[in-house]
Structures are given as structure tokens and as C-alpha cells.
Amino acid sequence: MAEFFGDLSIFGMKGSEAFTEVVDNYIKTSRGSDKSYIINASCERFGSGEGKGLIKESLRGHDLFIIADVFNHGATYKMYGKEYPMSPDDHFCDIKRIIGAVGGKARRISVIMPMLYEGRQHKRSTRESLDCAQALQELVAMGVTNIITFDAHDARVQNAIPLHGFDNAQPTYQMIKTFINTVPDVTLNSDNVAIVSPDEGGMSRCMYYSSVLKLDLGMFYKRRDYSRIVNGTNPIVEHRYLGNSVEGKDVIIVDDMISSGGSMIDVAQKLKAMGAKRVFAFATFGLFCNGLEIFDKAYAEGTISKIFTTNLTYRTPEVLASPWYQEVDLRKYVALLIDQINRDGTISTLLDPKDKIYAYIDKAVAEGKIKI
């Protein structure tokens, strides 16, 4: 077993404390330690809203992992006596404050940012900012050696920091495991289940699911109105389906995130109109920016049977209590990544879990959980 790179230290940014605590417990259990690896630090705010990072113990020579959910709008701060939800910009500034407070004393700093800050602003199409690339360059300029993210909207943004670490993990194994445990009556073969991408941009992740599970693959083509911009993007005019028939099949829509959900519901409605038996949705990140009404309606009408998202980003109590929602737990996976990186070991098998997927499916079939 590889030696530890340096003393392990972990810090959960505001809104990520509970997640980080469970990650810490997993690592303590695996290492047989009673000592927590979470450091004593904080991001304080002045009455004006200005902030500062504060490290309350020495990190000289340590291997520091910062866990930050920059989309946690449940985290708040006070400014002029008023309570405000933290924006992605607020969270990102706090990450830099903590790095600044370390003062270059840590031996190595890794930032675990599950949903990449400004990840959807990854390329320039006209006179516009390149926020994600700029943010990555800011972090490495401050001394960050490795950035770990999940299901990046476009992983090619790592080209902005070609000489630094950038790991893009996928929750494929955890999604499939949770799906099997939640939908035990599924028959997991190409005659009964199909994988569908809601757009051409998501085909690579859908191809992985279809290849590993040996299922048919379909895709919707988004026809957009490029003459106008609504809420920061060109509105979708129509979804057109490309692929084999889905009649009588369970269909799994796979995407990186759910924002408003309008696009996913539209795709689900089209699949049901084409004769799909049940429609499930896998999304790494569930933001639900415009509320839950359309999801409640889609579930009540039988358009969507279940939506699976990870616990890598904040979900409101209303989402967690919804009958159509199922959480996919990634805390143990994050703990495994931290433990292995701290040992300077390879994470290749963690990034490509196909063998674990095969083993779990074989076990589920042997135990009678599912049919194939």
C-alpha cells in the first residue's frame, strides 16, 4: 500500500459541512482512526458582507482537501442585518479565502468541487467571458495542485490548466446500484430497457451506460432558436427523436443536470407518447431552479416515474420529501477518492467502475433482485 503523501486534512466549505462529516467518518473507519481529519477553519463575514478565511491550526506540510458545493443556495450570510442566500460567486470567493489563509504552508491542496463553478460557461461563442477557464486558472495560480469534479458539462475546459491535475469523476456505479435497489421489478436487457440522451451533447455519458448495461441507445436532437436568448441560453423550439422504438420499454433519460426541468419533462412526454412503459431520469445534479410544480404534475400524470440525482449538490427539504425523487449517495465514493489520492495511489479503477458494475449486477441477479 502506498505511503501517505502528507498528513491528511479536510475542510468542508459552508453548506458542505454535513457531507464532509460523513466523508470523514468513512475515512476514519477505513484507516482505523479515532481522530477526525476535519480542520478547524471558517469563513467569517463583516457586517458589510465582506469576508475573510480563517485557519485555526497549522497545516504546514499537510495534504489539504477542500470540499465545496458552490451551488448550495441553502447556505446564507448576513449583510447590513439582512439574510442572503449564497450564490456560486460567494462560494467561489470563500474557497479562495481559505486557500489564502493557508498561506502556501500546505504541501498540496486539492479542491473537490462536485459541480464545476461556471461549468456551463466553458466556451466562447461570441463576445462573452470564459468564466470556468478563468476560475480554474485562478485556483492553480493560488497553489491548488488538483481539482476534482463530477460529470463536467464539458471536461475539455481542463485545457485551460494543462499542466495541473483535473479529475472528472462519474456517478455511474452509484446510479445503477441505486436504480436496481429502487426499481426491483426492472428487467435489465435491451428488449425491456433503453437509454436515451436528451440532447447530442450528452451522448458520451449515455454511450457508457448503454455499453456497460448492453442496452439500446436513443437520442433527442434539440432544435433551438438561435435568434434570441432567454435566461442565458437559446430557447429550445423542438425535440426530435433518433433511435429504435421505445414502445413497451422502460426508458432511462441520462443527463448531467436538471436546472428548470422543462427540457427533461418535454422529452419524457414525447417518450410516453411514443409508447414508453415507464420513464426514469438520471441526473448527476438536481438544481430544480424553477421549483417543483412541473415535476409534481409530471409524476401525477405518470410522465415521470422516478428522478435520481446525487447528494453532491444541495437539495431542498421539499425535493427530498417528493415521491418522485430518489437520492444517490456519493459520500463513500468521495472518501475513497480522498483516501487514495492522499496515498498517492491510482484512482483509475474509481474513475472507470465497469468491473464493479458487472459484479453488482451479477450479485443482484443471483439474489433475485432483478432480471436480465
Side-chain angles (χ1 to χ4, degrees):
M1 184 175 288
E3 295 294 327
F4 300 131
F5 181 83
D7 289 343
L8 175 61
S9 292
I10 305 171
F11 180 61
M13 300 298 300
K14 193 165 187 179
S16 298
E17 299 94 339
F19 186 97
T20 303
E21 187 175 336
V22 177
V23 169
D24 180 54
N25 286 333
Y26 276 123
I27 296 175
K28 286 195 299 182
T29 300
S30 70
R31 295 187 176 186
S33 171
D34 294 327
K35 176 184 173 296
S36 173
Y37 297 100
I38 298 175
I39 64 169
N40 189 6
S42 63
C43 278
E44 310 290 344
R45 292 274 176 169
F46 297 100
S48 61
E50 297 166 288
K52 68 174 179 179
L54 182 61
I55 304 288
K56 302 173 185 176
E57 59 186 86
S58 174
L59 295 181
R60 187 179 296 276
H62 285 222
D63 196 3
L64 174 63
F65 290 80
I66 299 172
I67 300 176
D69 172 15
V70 298
F71 291 84
N72 191 329
H73 59 95
T76 61
Y77 67 94
K78 278 190 175 180
M79 183 169 67
Y80 293 98
K82 298 178 182 178
E83 199 87 13
Y84 292 94
M86 290 183 70
S87 71
D89 291 346
D90 293 320
H91 283 289
F92 186 68
C93 282
D94 275 359
I95 294 172
K96 293 190 290 183
R97 289 180 176 117
I98 290 296
I99 295 170
V102 173
K105 302 301 190 296
R107 186 176 299 182
R108 182 168 64 182
I109 298 176
S110 299
V111 173
I112 301 177
M113 194 187 302
M115 187 170 177
L116 200 58
Y117 173 72
E118 292 290 354
R120 285 184 285 177
Q121 189 53 28
H122 60 287
K123 62 181 180 180
R124 175 177 285 156
S125 300
T126 180
R127 296 186 187 93
E128 55 187 346
S129 56
L130 284 170
D131 296 61
C132 190
Q134 184 175 326
L136 295 178
Q137 290 181 351
E138 280 188 75
L139 291 178
V140 299
M142 295 185 72
V144 173
T145 54
N146 196 41
I147 295 164
I148 303 156
T149 192
F150 284 78
D151 204 353
H153 191 70
D154 189 339
R156 289 175 297 183
V157 74
Q158 68 185 286
N159 293 341
I161 50 168
L163 302 181
H164 294 80
F166 184 97
D167 294 310
N168 182 36
Q170 300 288 340
T172 318
Y173 169 71
Q174 291 80 8
M175 280 284 184
I176 293 171
K177 181 178 179 180
T178 305
F179 177 71
I180 289 172
N181 290 332
T182 306
V183 190
D185 62 338
V186 69
T187 301
L188 210 56
N189 60 40
S190 59
D191 292 328
N192 293 277
V193 182
I195 300 291
V196 169
S197 176
D199 55 40
E200 59 275 22
M203 278 297 287
S204 60
R205 69 176 63 88
C206 289
M207 287 169 66
Y208 187 88
Y209 275 98
S210 67
S211 298
V212 170
L213 298 176
K214 298 177 176 60
L215 303 176
D216 279 348
L217 175 63
M219 182 193 82
F220 277 89
Y221 166 68
K222 288 181 180 179
R223 189 165 67 85
R224 293 181 179 271
D225 181 0
Y226 288 98
S227 66
R228 59 196 181 98
I229 295 177
V230 178
N231 293 329
T233 187
N234 302 104
I236 298 166
V237 176
E238 180 188 11
H239 287 98
R240 293 180 180 175
Y241 180 70
L242 303 172
N244 294 332
S245 172
V246 297
E247 187 171 356
K249 294 183 179 182
D250 288 329
V251 178
I252 302 172
I253 304 170
V254 182
D255 209 352
D256 60 338
M257 62 172 291
I258 297 174
S259 182
S260 67
S263 178
M264 180 167 284
I265 298 301
D266 186 39
V267 165
Q269 289 171 338
K270 283 184 164 48
L271 289 168
K272 291 294 287 186
M274 293 160 57
K277 181 182 173 184
R278 293 178 295 184
V279 177
F280 303 96
F282 290 0
T284 306
F285 309 110
L287 304 183
F288 308 105
C289 297
N290 293 1
L292 307 181
E293 186 178 346
I294 63 169
F295 300 99
D296 293 337
K297 185 172 182 290
Y299 178 74
E301 294 174 348
T303 303
I304 286 279
S305 294
K306 211 76 169 176
I307 294 176
F308 297 77
T309 80
T310 73
N311 58 348
L312 292 169
T313 50
Y314 174 72
R315 288 127 313 118
T316 64
E318 290 76 20
V319 171
L320 295 174
S322 296
W324 44 262
Y325 179 74
Q326 180 61 50
E327 177 185 278
V328 179
D329 190 357
L330 268 290
R331 293 172 295 188
K332 186 175 182 180
Y333 185 41
V334 171
L336 290 169
L337 288 169
I338 292 174
D339 182 64
Q340 195 68 2
I341 292 171
N342 178 234
R343 297 175 188 274
D344 259 3
T346 178
I347 60 171
S348 297
T349 55
L350 293 174
L351 296 178
D352 184 5
K354 60 179 181 296
D355 291 336
K356 286 187 69 176
I357 293 171
Y358 292 145
Y360 188 80
I361 291 175
D362 290 343
K363 181 183 177 186
V365 171
E367 294 176 350
K369 285 185 177 180
I370 60 164
K371 297 178 182 178
I372 57 172

